[in-house]
Amino acid sequence: MADENKGVVYMGPGTVEVQSTDYPGFMLKDGPGVHPDSVGREAHHGVILRVVSTNICGSDQHMVRGRTTAPEGLILGHEITGEVIERGRDVEFINEGDLVSVPFNIACGRCRACKERNTGVCLTTNPSRPGAAYGYVDMGGWVGGQARYVMVPYADFNCLRFPDKDQAMEKILDLTMLSDIFPTGYHGCVTAGVTTGTTVYIAGAGPVGLAAAFAAQLLGAAAVIVGDLIPERLEQARSFGCETIDVSRGDPKDQIEQILGEPEVDCAVDAVGFEARGHGEAAKEERPATVLNSLMDVTRAAGRLGIPGLYVTGDPGARDDAAKEGSLSIRIGLGWAKSHVFTTGQCPVMKYHRGLMQAILQDRAPIGRAVNATVIPLEDAPQGYRDFDRGAAKKFVLNPHGLIPA
């Protein structure tokens, strides 16, 4: 057996700790968030990874803030890149020594949803509802990957093998984004209809918003406008050629008009989610429907909205009873009147990750620089969470084994 495993554990609202944890095996054990029907589930189709990089995600931050029903003791982390050190009995095509990217979606590859490439809502990997992920509330109880070692089920289907390990390690700060935020931002733009010559408004300049902005440029957008409240994040968006608006200064529509000469865009992406704040004087208040309503307002008739920002069915910290169960005051009449198309839900990472990998390997997609990838040791994860919560314009990459060079 390899050396001791350690992981980042959610201890309750506002607190994570790095603790010794069980070394992974090919069977699901009882634990925080594990559905009773999954206890004892065998996963001989899986592999065990030595984690090379694993990232802190804004979705993790929602849990750590206490804004979900996540159970205490949950090992966090769904953005995983690692080296295969052991493979299960039923694995055929992934080998020990392979360096792989792992989609945050856990998908069986066998159910109707997976066969139709809707891997974000796999029907078999989570007994509670469609869709599973590592280390995440209501997502099946699979152990998270902010750890030294992790088990990845259905490895032949889920793992994306990098063709050249040395080349991959040289670009690891870009390739680590393939597990989630690069495909997620790209998916937000694709579903919003971003293509050559379009104008795009992206709400939110956190890592997913920055990844979406970068993806919009990759897709050929004529103008990419990013809105946020935090100056440091807006500065990061400008660093790779985006226009920016500070939504604390007023309605995005007015600022969009100053940039484009008209108060609307072709496409819009919500990279904020359910902890949205108001605009203008209301920017200090949480108003969870603000972004969705704003995007309908600024998107042209017959336009499309990509909504990769997270919305939940259980939010104990919400401002009212309706929002606590995910019911928001959305102006659906406005969206209907303008014939908008909405696309929501988890990004099906496998639709995009191979092509985006090739773009990275062929020097077409320096996504790590766009999101300001910042490497920290696993032991510094609690500080990383605190800095991220304060709005740092960084994508924190945990380095559990010191394999990423300084």
Side-chain angles (χ1 to χ4, degrees):
M1 180 180 288
D3 57 344
E4 179 189 24
N5 197 16
K6 291 184 177 180
V8 180
V9 182
Y10 171 63
M11 302 300 293
T15 306
V16 298
E17 294 180 1
V18 179
Q19 298 182 355
S20 295
T21 63
D22 291 342
Y23 187 83
F26 297 115
M27 179 182 290
L28 268 68
K29 300 178 180 178
D30 197 6
V34 178
H35 192 282
D37 291 349
S38 289
V39 177
R41 181 173 183 163
E42 296 186 351
H44 299 294
H45 40 64
V47 295
I48 293 172
L49 300 185
R50 175 188 292 114
V51 177
V52 172
S53 64
T54 177
N55 314 325
I56 296 175
C57 181
S59 299
D60 299 320
Q61 194 69 61
H62 291 307
M63 289 188 289
V64 173
R65 288 187 187 124
R67 296 301 299 270
T68 72
T69 55
E72 295 181 12
L74 185 70
I75 299 173
L76 301 172
H78 55 269
E79 301 190 11
I80 305 166
T81 305
E83 180 186 16
V84 178
I85 59 171
E86 185 178 351
R87 67 179 198 165
R89 179 192 65 206
D90 299 332
V91 177
E92 294 186 73
F93 307 113
I94 297 294
N95 296 306
E96 292 181 9
D98 286 347
L99 185 61
V100 300
S101 176
V102 180
F104 77 91
N105 323 112
I106 303 174
C108 71
R110 306 168 184 180
C111 69
R112 174 179 176 173
C114 286
K115 288 179 178 180
E116 294 176 355
R117 300 187 76 198
N118 295 315
T119 53
V121 284
C122 174
L123 303 176
T124 69
T125 45
N126 181 359
S128 299
R129 66 186 191 191
Y134 304 88
Y136 206 82
V137 58
D138 296 332
M139 287 293 172
W142 299 88
V143 176
Q146 286 176 14
R148 290 169 60 82
Y149 302 96
V150 69
M151 192 273 286
V152 174
Y154 302 101
D156 284 325
F157 186 64
N158 285 303
C159 292
L160 175 67
R161 185 179 66 85
F162 300 137
D164 185 306
K165 287 177 69 174
D166 292 337
Q167 180 193 29
M169 287 304 298
E170 290 175 2
K171 296 180 179 293
I172 193 66
L173 293 186
D174 300 313
L175 294 171
T176 192
M177 306 306 165
L178 290 175
S179 57
D180 183 353
I181 67 164
F182 195 10
T184 292
Y186 193 86
H187 177 66
C189 289
V190 168
T191 56
V194 178
T195 188
T196 305
T198 50
T199 57
V200 188
Y201 173 56
I202 295 166
V208 169
L210 294 171
F214 182 85
Q217 294 176 339
L218 196 62
L219 287 162
V224 180
I225 304 170
V226 180
D228 204 286
L229 300 161
I230 300 174
E232 184 181 354
R233 288 183 167 181
L234 293 174
E235 183 179 351
Q236 181 62 28
R238 289 191 293 271
S239 75
F240 59 97
C242 300
E243 299 282 353
T244 61
I245 60 177
D246 182 345
V247 297
S248 71
R249 297 181 179 176
D251 193 328
K253 198 170 187 176
D254 299 330
Q255 297 179 68
I256 288 171
E257 184 170 23
Q258 293 174 18
I259 295 169
L260 298 179
E262 56 183 1
E264 62 182 17
V265 291
D266 298 317
C267 317
V269 177
D270 174 1
V272 178
F274 72 104
E275 288 192 65
R277 295 185 176 274
H279 294 154
E281 293 182 358
K284 295 181 180 179
E285 302 175 9
E286 187 169 304
R287 295 189 177 181
T290 297
V291 170
L292 291 171
N293 289 330
S294 173
L295 294 195
M296 287 186 273
D297 191 35
V298 304
T299 303
R300 66 172 174 82
R304 306 171 74 95
L305 279 64
I307 309 174
L310 176 68
Y311 290 87
V312 294
T313 56
D315 175 8
R319 59 182 294 178
D320 57 52
D321 289 340
K324 286 180 180 178
E325 57 182 28
S327 296
L328 309 181
S329 298
I330 297 169
R331 293 185 66 195
I332 193 64
L334 176 60
W336 189 94
K338 296 178 78 172
S339 293
H340 283 157
V341 174
F342 301 78
T343 303
T344 66
Q346 291 186 49
C347 165
V349 169
M350 272 189 267
K351 278 189 179 180
Y352 310 106
H353 68 171
R354 187 174 299 276
L356 295 177
M357 174 188 75
Q358 294 292 358
I360 290 169
L361 295 177
Q362 300 305 320
D363 297 321
R364 296 292 188 268
I367 181 66
R369 188 168 67 229
V371 300
N372 195 15
T374 303
V375 180
I376 61 175
L378 182 70
E379 290 72 22
D380 289 354
Q383 184 62 49
Y385 272 96
R386 288 190 290 270
D387 291 345
F388 191 31
D389 193 48
R390 287 194 287 264
K394 298 176 180 180
K395 176 65 171 176
F396 288 107
V397 178
L398 304 180
N399 188 14
H401 290 275
L403 298 172
I404 304 174

